[in-house]
Amino acid sequence: MESKFTEVYQKGPDDSYDTDCSKVSEMLDLIIDGEATSEEEKYFNTHLEECVSCFESHQKQKLLKGIISGHLKRVIVPESLALSIRAKIQETL
């Protein structure tokens, strides 16, 4: 069974460079948030080595996330609230 990454991001023989940029753009949030698989990270980083435009977009996103996260406070909520929220999310899936 192939992973979602392989199904979605595997490069076909007719894919152009623009398609690679589109794939990398779609992966940007996963990479920035540290939620990408090692396979996705490898694909992403390989593309960034060759594409200045995508590299610059990645750097801007990292900078923006750093600025925003530097101004946010982490709030501890009661465990019952967290469990309730998780349960509601699971219901919607």
Side-chain angles (χ1 to χ4, degrees), residues 23-65:
K23 292 174 187 176
V24 166
S25 177
E26 292 170 11
M27 296 169 66
L28 194 55
D29 288 332
L30 290 175
I31 299 293
I32 297 290
D33 294 339
E35 297 173 354
T37 66
S38 59
E39 190 177 350
E40 289 169 326
E41 286 181 20
K42 183 178 177 183
Y43 179 89
F44 185 87
N45 290 329
T46 299
H47 180 77
L48 288 192
E49 290 174 4
E50 301 169 359
C51 182
V52 173
S53 176
C54 289
F55 177 81
E56 289 173 348
S57 292
H58 178 244
Q59 294 303 313
K60 289 175 186 174
Q61 287 282 41
K62 278 179 27 180
L63 178 62
L64 179 62
K65 182 177 179 178

